[in-house]
Amino acid sequence: MAVELRMLQMDQTMTKGKIGKWLVKEGDTVTEGQPLLEIETDKVVHEQESPADGVIAQILPEEGSDVPVNALLAIIAAPGEEVERVEADTIPEPQEPDEPEPTTTKPTAPTKIQSQQTLPTAEYIKASPAAKQLAEKLTIDLTQVKASGPGGRILESDIHRYIETRGPTPTESTRLKASPLARRLAKEFGLDLTSISGSGPDGRIVRDDILQVADGMPDQVLRTEPAASEVVELSGIRKIIAERMTMSVQTNASVTLHTEVDATTLVELRGLFNEELEKREMSLTYTDLLVKIVAIALREHRLLNATLTDEGIHMLADINIGVAVALEDGLVVPVVRNADQIGLAAISEQVRTLAEKARNNQLTPGELQGGTFTLTNLGNFGVDAFTPIINPPECAILGVGRIVKKPVVHKDEIAIRTMLSLSLTFDHRVVDGAPAAQFLQTVSQYIQNPYLMLV
């Protein structure tokens, strides 16, 4: 019997994933647990595995497509089994209350998979992204185009064939013809394309036409916007990070508190620890120590270890600290679980292992889920203080700056002390300023007196 492969939800905030690469093709024989495709999320590139043995009967979304959670990705049939091809899952627009409820389709035979009922409009017609883009550009009704692709899918070639058969409309015949580069140059120089004669095929305006007109213009007339030397596509993990961070800023009532704390004793304690750990070829980083300190402080300030839902504020029982790890094309936040209950050596081992796996793109979805509070450290980059953005659905994040020696007043005398900058961003819908400041005070006290965390 045929088995459906659907988009998995890899964490509680994930709503969609991007199809990075299909590792199989239709007709391939696969085994249970075999990687079938790569899914890109804001946190990781994950290989989704086959749920059963069988043959790939149909692959639905193309590479590069954004697919919602639980959407149908592929159909795996038993050897020799014939399965009807289905259409990709659609998400219909919300209906007005006075509209009748959509009718349900009749069930089919057990070996056939029933596709969702779709509306006869261009929005729900099966078409490749290139075909949809061309149809929108030429204002072509997709319901009038005959499909030649697999499963009744409209291809870009079908659009061109439709235009040739129908002939150009008045709008298309009078449409200004210009190459993309010519349009961009005209915009940079502030030129009106309608006043320029094209020397390209069928009167198409090309690059040289724009430059010829621009050469005859006074320098002060030309626009001075700098041209892009390179355009980097906003896609993959970078695109999803942009979406999530924008969502965080727009939905959270974010407030950031900054403080500077004397970390002289913390630095000394780390040195003592590492003298002993060096014999075991181990070492503690400041991030390791801060993960433990933050975890202990969260036990005393539970509102900072919470999340806001439609039901209200959920006080979380576990204290799982996410540690931001920078990558070439973005960042990920693997999670150290129950950080308040494990020792410094275990925290150090987890942080080191998770960071290595992150940089090698080997993190599993489970290692990225369940964070309750995030720690992000830019001290190694010489940053004193910054304003971190909350990692949803958490309600707070602690930014750590560099550790630097400076003259300060210590015991009523000027002394050289090692100082550390902290920046706490919190969601004011969940936590008020005073409780957030008290949490920051507690973290500061543990940094000033790190021996207390060993008690």
Side-chain angles (χ1 to χ4, degrees), residues 318-333:
D318 295 333
I319 296 178
N320 302 328
I321 308 298
V323 180
V325 178
L327 306 177
E328 290 185 3
D329 56 349
L331 61 86
V332 293
V333 186

Side-chain angles (χ1 to χ4, degrees), residues 402-418:
R402 65 172 177 158
I403 295 177
V404 60
K405 290 184 177 181
K406 60 174 63 176
V408 297
V409 177
H410 178 68
K411 296 182 179 179
D412 295 330
E413 295 182 356
I414 301 297
I416 301 298
R417 305 291 291 178
T418 304

Side-chain angles (χ1 to χ4, degrees), residues 246-298:
T246 300
M247 180 269 289
S248 177
V249 172
Q250 291 176 343
T251 58
N252 291 321
S254 298
V255 179
T256 303
L257 305 179
H258 300 281
T259 191
E260 191 175 45
V261 58
D262 189 337
T264 304
T265 307
L266 182 71
V267 173
E268 294 173 352
L269 179 62
R270 175 177 176 265
L272 292 174
F273 278 146
N274 284 341
E275 285 181 8
E276 294 298 321
L277 291 175
E278 186 178 1
K279 302 173 185 178
R280 291 186 279 171
E281 298 182 350
M282 295 176 59
S283 65
L284 289 178
T285 66
Y286 291 114
T287 296
D288 301 335
L289 293 166
L290 289 169
V291 166
K292 185 63 176 180
I293 288 173
V294 168
I296 295 174
L298 287 173

Side-chain angles (χ1 to χ4, degrees), residues 53-121:
D53 297 342
V55 178
I56 301 295
Q58 182 180 356
I59 291 176
L60 287 90
E62 298 177 338
E63 293 180 356
S65 302
D66 288 324
V67 180
V69 168
N70 203 39
L72 186 61
L73 301 177
I75 299 172
I76 303 171
E81 179 183 10
E82 294 186 3
V83 178
E84 287 187 355
R85 298 186 70 86
V86 301
E87 295 186 0
D89 289 349
T90 59
I91 303 178
E93 295 292 329
Q95 297 182 349
E96 296 297 331
D98 57 349
E99 290 185 1
E101 292 291 328
T103 58
T104 57
T105 56
K106 295 181 179 180
T108 60
T111 57
K112 299 179 181 179
I113 298 178
Q114 181 65 40
S115 63
Q116 292 186 348
Q117 191 173 14
T118 57
L119 301 176
T121 64

Side-chain angles (χ1 to χ4, degrees), residues 200-436:
D202 299 325
R204 183 183 180 87
I205 301 172
V206 295
R207 168 182 173 275
D208 290 343
D209 300 326
I210 303 297
L211 295 180
Q212 184 176 359
V213 174
D215 286 341
M217 299 175 63
D219 291 341
Q220 63 270 25
V221 176
L222 296 177
R223 296 178 63 180
T224 57
E225 286 88 343
S229 61
E230 181 183 5
V231 177
V232 179
E233 182 183 1
L234 186 64
S235 61
I237 188 173
R238 183 75 265 158
K239 179 180 179 182
I240 303 177
I241 288 174
E243 293 173 351
R244 283 174 54 84
M245 292 299 96
T246 300
M247 180 269 289
S248 177
V249 172
Q250 291 176 343
T251 58
N252 291 321
S254 298
V255 179
T256 303
L257 305 179
H258 300 281
T259 191
E260 191 175 45
V261 58
D262 189 337
T264 304
T265 307
L266 182 71
V267 173
E268 294 173 352
L269 179 62
R270 175 177 176 265
L272 292 174
F273 278 146
N274 284 341
E275 285 181 8
E276 294 298 321
L277 291 175
E278 186 178 1
K279 302 173 185 178
R280 291 186 279 171
E281 298 182 350
M282 295 176 59
S283 65
L284 289 178
T285 66
Y286 291 114
T287 296
D288 301 335
L289 293 166
L290 289 169
V291 166
K292 185 63 176 180
I293 288 173
V294 168
I296 295 174
L298 287 173
R299 288 195 306 211
E300 304 175 28
H301 302 273
R302 296 183 58 212
L303 267 178
L304 277 295
N305 195 63
T307 185
L308 183 63
T309 70
D310 293 338
E311 300 174 350
I313 298 173
H314 281 205
M315 312 286 283
L316 304 175
D318 295 333
I319 296 178
N320 302 328
I321 308 298
V323 180
V325 178
L327 306 177
E328 290 185 3
D329 56 349
L331 61 86
V332 293
V333 186
V335 177
V336 179
R337 299 185 179 280
N338 300 312
D340 61 320
Q341 300 177 22
I342 59 178
L344 282 170
I347 289 175
S348 178
E349 177 65 20
Q350 285 195 42
V351 171
R352 183 185 62 80
T353 301
L354 291 170
E356 289 179 358
K357 294 178 71 173
R359 296 187 181 101
N360 293 324
N361 195 28
Q362 295 176 341
L363 288 171
T364 64
E367 291 167 329
L368 294 164
Q369 297 174 3
T372 63
F373 187 99
T374 294
L375 181 73
T376 174
N377 190 345
L378 294 180
N380 291 336
F381 300 97
V383 175
D384 286 317
F386 58 103
T387 303
I389 299 176
I390 297 171
N391 183 24
E394 300 164 12
C395 75
I397 181 173
L398 183 66
V400 181
R402 65 172 177 158
I403 295 177
V404 60
K405 290 184 177 181
K406 60 174 63 176
V408 297
V409 177
H410 178 68
K411 296 182 179 179
D412 295 330
E413 295 182 356
I414 301 297
I416 301 298
R417 305 291 291 178
T418 304
M419 306 301 291
L420 171 64
S421 296
L422 301 176
S423 303
L424 174 69
T425 298
F426 61 95
D427 187 348
H428 211 315
R429 299 175 303 168
V430 179
V431 189
D432 290 331

